[in-house]
Amino acid sequence: MVLVLALGDLHVPHRAADLPAKFKSMLVPGKIQHIICTGNLCVKEVHDYLKSLCPDLHITRGEYDEDARYPETKTLTIGQFKLGLCHGHQVVPWGDLDSLAMLQRQLDVDILVTGHTHQFKAYKHEGGVVINPGSATGAYSSVTYDVNPSFVLMDIDGLRVVVYVYELIDGEVKVDKIDFKKTATMLHS
Amino acid sequence: MQRDTDILAPLGATNPSQQPSLSCCVPTCRSRSAAALLPEPSRHEAGAAFHLLPPRPSRSFPMRKKAARVVPEWLNSPLWSAPPQAPASPDPYGADLSPPPPPKPQPPPTPTPTVPPPSYEQAVGSSRRARGEAGWEGDGEDEDEDSGGAALRAHLLSDFKLALSKKVINMGELRRLACLGVPEGGAGVRPLVWKLLLGYLPIERAFWPHELQKKWSQYSAYIDEFLLNPSEKIRRFEETKLLRKKELNSDKIGLLPRSEVTNEEHPLSVGKSSLWNQYFQESEILEQIDRDVKRTHPEMSFFSTKTNQESLRRILIIFSKLNPSIRYVQGMNEVLAPLFYVFMNDPDPSNSASVEADTFFCFIELLSGFKNNYCKHLDDSQVGIRSTLSKLSQLLKRHDEELWRHMEITTKVYPQYYAFRWITLLLTMEFSFNVFIHIWDAILGDPEGPPETLLRICCAMLIIVRRRLLAGDFTANIQLLQHYPPTNIDHLLHIANRLRGSVAI
């Protein structure tokens, strides 16, 4: 039972001041084992805050990040799953699922986590699953102003992943969950 | 001061007409200290006089009638009638071990037939005489204390086995035997004895399989209920609800379907009823249990193995969940460890699969008498740890007012400074492993019940070192009591036994 928090595109302080209060009250240290962040934090203070939630923090570089040392892509293995991380502005057209699938095949991962579009998405194709946690602060994107703050918490348990999606809709936190298993096709890919 | 006439008189005060009165229940059979029956003259101290019999070569015991036996040479030797050294203060117990305690503690007299251990006799009662007589003859001329001790041990062992083999166990008998302690080589006997004494097994042998089966299945139910983390629980719950349609979707390509989360059952929830929330709140206790299990008896390789630590961990977790009022208190691992060790080392293979379950239930039984000592809320109440400590104090006052006064009033060494650990950990930290297992035999076997017996033993511990305590100040006494010196266990249990009958305050 490994809890992995996936979030990104906070754009603090340029486009948003901070995480919504309701999200912040839920995110307490000690519960989460890993944090993966798609990028665009943008400042070191956010990095430190995330580090305080969990020491195991993985970040990739977004185009507005002030720290140039983050990598463009990252892969990690948690339990039975390989996770890939990339901000997504490198993949053109932005948010295009086929192109992301291509990236996923290149990285050879089961779950690819990308951002940049500020819209939550969870999509499955033969190669695996693509998850976009959206923007944790609800910052506006290049595409749209209408953004709901959202982030994703994955519960990895053996060959099964339960993805809990936290969205702030009209001031209320709404939680959904998505369940999927690592199938034979994915195992062989 | 002849308060206690049946106590061993110091050598100097022998009264030849007096019966050799090692009073009841000195467990002589356990002469692992191999009965220095012939103490060297240099060890002859007034304080140690207790251990030596008054010189009486041809005593006749009321209880034993023997054919004429040859009196061994040594019994007539002059050292038995050394000039008495008058003890400084009349020692009501004659029990003082003057520091340092004699390294080869002269236990009460032992195995050779002409010096029969009257204590054993008295303790065991008349029914034994016939058997005992027959059994003892083997060592007639043998002056080797070891083989004598071994014969006694073998006898005790066979007595145990006899008592355990009956269809309906005679608990009174078993308790009597247990107070003498399971002898060495009794590894096969001890688990069964403890299980019976703790009430885990019923008295009728015929019911054992049924009871055991019940308990084992209950334990597995507990494991299922308490040891799963929330994601496993939720998965099981969903599987039982036959949400199999998700399987069909697994090969579909496209946006993954989202399902609503009900009842705030998500990992970050702060809802009271949420499984996740409860799980995280308990994680602190789990961590504590984890840490303590890893620290249990590090010197013993038995407790360093992963499987054993896992078992201990599981037992403690389930216990803490079943008892929300006391949860887990540091030190419970120490109380659990000997139980687990004894049951694991049971040579009887039929029990090996169920060691954990047996240990768990016996642990519950054992703690049931002491539960109140662990509960924080009850600390100051009539039944909590403070009142237990004050009971100890009262017990000491009744039996040894001088020592009590010195401790409580003059040096202000209150029981909470030293006896807290004695009581909550059932003496596991004061003595070495084998020693306290032996003490536990007596604690569990005593018909008065473990809490009372424990108090008596603690009081006896104080009385044994009374001379040093009386001579010491606050620091010295605290140091002494917190690092209790190794002592002769038979002696300790003997003293504790003598305090019987006056616990109720």
Side-chain angles (χ1 to χ4, degrees):
Chain A
M1 193 194 77
V2 180
L3 292 180
V4 182
L5 175 68
L7 75 171
D9 289 320
L10 290 94
H11 288 281
V12 174
H14 312 283
R15 303 187 194 178
D18 201 357
L19 285 167
K22 293 206 167 161
F23 280 178
K24 263 200 144 157
S25 64
M26 279 199 298
L27 290 172
V28 293
K31 295 188 180 180
I32 300 167
Q33 274 88 56
H34 305 275
I35 298 186
I36 51 182
C37 185
T38 54
N40 273 344
L41 292 178
C42 308
V43 284
K44 188 171 178 305
E45 281 78 1
V46 182
H47 177 107
D48 293 339
Y49 166 71
L50 291 177
K51 202 78 183 198
S52 75
L53 288 182
C54 164
D56 191 27
L57 176 59
H58 304 274
I59 311 187
T60 49
R61 181 134 201 265
E63 75 269 44
Y64 289 102
D65 266 317
E66 292 186 4
D67 190 338
R69 290 170 303 174
Y70 299 143
E72 295 280 317
T73 61
K74 207 164 194 188
T75 56
L76 52 149
T77 308
I78 294 178
Q80 303 280 355
F81 285 87
K82 288 193 289 220
L83 283 87
L85 189 59
C86 175
H87 177 245
H89 67 274
Q90 306 95 331
V91 178
V92 177
W94 294 338
D96 179 44
L97 294 165
D98 291 328
S99 315
L100 290 172
M102 198 157 63
L103 176 62
Q104 184 160 8
R105 282 190 288 273
Q106 278 175 348
L107 293 175
D108 188 25
V109 289
D110 302 313
I111 302 175
L112 178 68
V113 181
T114 56
H116 189 58
T117 61
H118 299 210
Q119 293 287 346
F120 168 78
K121 199 158 276 185
Y123 182 84
K124 185 179 187 323
H125 58 87
E126 320 82 7
V129 171
V130 176
I131 294 181
N132 186 330
S135 164
T137 52
Y140 61 86
S141 76
S142 330
V143 173
T144 173
Y145 275 104
D146 184 17
V147 175
N148 280 326
S150 65
F151 68 88
V152 155
L153 186 65
M154 291 189 280
D155 175 13
I156 299 180
D157 191 17
L159 287 174
R160 183 173 173 265
V161 174
V162 181
V163 177
Y164 294 91
V165 184
Y166 294 79
E167 279 170 318
L168 193 68
I169 299 176
D170 296 331
E172 285 303 318
V173 177
K174 202 167 152 296
V175 189
D176 287 334
K177 75 174 171 176
I178 299 172
D179 209 335
F180 68 88
K181 273 201 176 61
K182 187 165 177 173
T183 59
T185 52
M186 283 165 70
L187 279 168
H188 288 275
S189 64
Chain B
M1 133 175 178
Q2 281 301 314
R3 224 172 75 172
D4 309 297
T5 50
D6 56 342
I7 244 282
L8 279 195
L11 188 61
T14 53
N15 185 348
S17 62
Q18 224 177 4
Q19 285 305 319
S21 39
L22 296 171
S23 61
C24 36
C25 263
V26 176
T28 60
C29 17
R30 195 176 11 266
S31 28
R32 40 174 101 93
S33 30
L37 195 49
L38 283 179
E40 285 93 278
S42 58
R43 295 226 185 94
H44 229 44
E45 294 166 339
F50 151 78
H51 303 290
L52 307 174
L53 270 191
R56 219 181 342 251
S58 53
R59 203 174 27 236
S60 61
F61 267 78
M63 294 190 272
R64 296 180 81 85
K65 300 251 177 347
K66 282 175 283 298
R69 293 186 193 260
V70 175
V71 170
E73 183 62 26
W74 54 266
L75 204 47
N76 282 330
S77 82
L79 56 82
W80 286 102
S81 44
Q85 306 164 24
S89 59
D91 212 345
Y93 296 95
D96 202 24
L97 290 177
S98 40
K104 218 161 93 169
Q106 295 81 343
T110 56
T112 61
T114 50
V115 188
S119 55
Y120 183 48
E121 285 296 286
Q122 287 173 9
V124 167
S126 54
S127 61
R128 290 246 169 269
R129 270 175 245 141
R131 202 175 336 162
E133 233 183 331
W136 252 289
E137 82 263 290
D139 297 318
E141 301 308 323
D142 199 332
E143 293 183 24
D144 182 5
E145 298 95 11
D146 257 2
S147 76
L152 245 143
R153 282 198 289 277
H155 279 306
L156 190 53
L157 202 50
S158 67
D159 287 338
F160 266 107
K161 291 200 172 130
L162 187 68
L164 291 173
S165 63
K166 301 211 181 95
K167 280 226 169 49
V168 176
I169 313 280
N170 180 352
M171 284 310 285
E173 178 91 343
L174 191 62
R175 285 188 187 278
R176 248 199 319 257
L177 285 173
C179 285
L180 301 171
V182 176
E184 277 168 27
V189 167
R190 188 173 268 131
L192 201 47
V193 170
W194 281 17
K195 285 179 194 169
L196 283 164
L197 291 174
L198 283 168
Y200 177 57
L201 289 174
I203 305 185
E204 292 89 7
R205 187 177 269 271
F207 290 161
W208 286 2
H210 169 71
E211 275 295 313
L212 289 174
Q213 210 46 50
K214 217 168 59 168
K215 292 277 163 75
W216 297 345
S217 55
Q218 195 173 20
Y219 186 68
S220 351
Y222 284 147
I223 290 189
D224 279 341
E225 190 183 334
F226 292 123
L227 283 175
L228 292 181
N229 57 35
S231 55
E232 284 169 1
K233 274 193 202 158
I234 292 177
R235 175 166 36 166
R236 288 219 180 160
F237 180 65
E238 284 175 2
E239 276 171 9
T240 60
K241 280 176 72 179
L242 295 176
L243 291 174
R244 299 251 179 258
K245 43 189 158 103
K246 293 221 164 117
E247 302 282 0
L248 300 170
N249 286 345
S250 61
D251 283 334
K252 245 172 52 165
I253 292 185
L255 288 175
L256 287 168
R258 293 158 64 148
S259 55
E260 180 102 17
V261 160
T262 50
N263 292 337
E264 299 214 355
E265 275 298 347
H266 57 91
L268 297 177
S269 87
V270 291
K272 285 244 176 293
S273 61
S274 155
L275 286 174
W276 290 95
N277 201 15
Q278 289 167 359
Y279 173 77
F280 284 121
Q281 280 176 348
E282 288 157 355
S283 64
E284 206 186 296
I285 300 179
L286 297 188
E287 267 177 44
Q288 177 74 316
I289 292 181
D290 227 356
R291 274 197 294 261
D292 281 348
V293 159
K294 295 203 170 97
R295 297 196 277 217
T296 315
H297 289 292
E299 73 276 4
M300 295 177 66
S301 61
F302 175 83
F303 288 107
S304 322
T305 59
K306 267 257 169 270
T307 40
N308 289 343
Q309 283 185 352
E310 266 304 304
S311 301
L312 287 179
R313 205 176 141 262
R314 276 196 293 263
I315 294 175
L316 289 170
I317 291 176
I318 296 179
F319 181 83
S320 76
K321 299 220 174 147
L322 282 175
N323 293 283
S325 53
I326 45 175
R327 292 276 160 164
Y328 173 75
V329 176
Q330 256 192 311
M332 284 184 181
N333 61 318
E334 298 288 341
V335 176
L336 177 61
L339 278 175
F340 188 67
Y341 180 85
V342 163
F343 291 160
M344 265 303 244
N345 289 335
D346 186 358
D348 180 1
S350 65
N351 288 333
S352 52
S354 67
V355 168
E356 211 176 299
D358 293 337
T359 322
F360 173 69
F361 288 106
C362 288
F363 178 61
I364 291 189
E365 289 296 334
L366 180 59
L367 274 198
S368 59
F370 296 99
K371 250 194 196 165
N372 295 324
N373 287 339
Y374 294 103
C375 186
K376 260 211 177 59
H377 306 295
L378 293 176
D379 264 353
D380 289 322
S381 77
Q382 287 279 38
V383 293
I385 184 69
R386 271 190 212 271
S387 91
T388 315
L389 291 170
S390 69
K391 264 198 221 160
L392 175 63
S393 200
Q394 293 299 317
L395 189 60
L396 181 63
K397 182 175 180 189
R398 276 175 90 112
H399 289 280
D400 194 341
E401 174 121 15
E402 185 195 351
L403 182 59
W404 175 82
R405 197 178 301 282
H406 179 79
M407 299 270 287
E408 298 258 332
I409 302 187
T410 321
T411 54
K412 297 213 188 331
V413 176
Y414 298 122
Q416 37 265 48
Y417 298 139
Y418 55 88
F420 188 83
R421 199 170 70 163
W422 294 0
I423 292 178
T424 51
L425 294 188
L426 274 76
L427 299 172
T428 51
M429 289 235 121
E430 314 309 317
F431 303 102
S432 71
F433 202 85
N434 289 316
V435 168
F436 75 70
I437 287 201
H438 180 168
I439 297 186
W440 276 36
D441 285 334
I443 293 184
L444 294 179
D446 200 292
E448 268 190 16
E452 313 298 351
T453 319
L454 183 61
L455 281 182
R456 274 193 284 114
I457 295 186
C458 292
C459 197
M461 283 165 74
L462 290 171
I463 291 174
I464 286 187
V465 289
R466 72 188 304 274
R467 192 181 283 183
R468 290 166 79 173
L469 287 176
L470 285 170
D473 67 340
F474 180 81
T475 343
N477 286 352
I478 290 277
Q479 268 201 322
L480 174 65
L481 293 172
Q482 286 183 344
H483 305 276
Y484 196 78
T487 176
N488 179 3
I489 298 308
D490 302 343
H491 186 175
L492 174 65
L493 293 175
H494 165 56
I495 301 292
N497 202 38
R498 291 217 57 265
L499 304 176
R500 199 185 282 275
S502 41
V503 174
I505 305 298

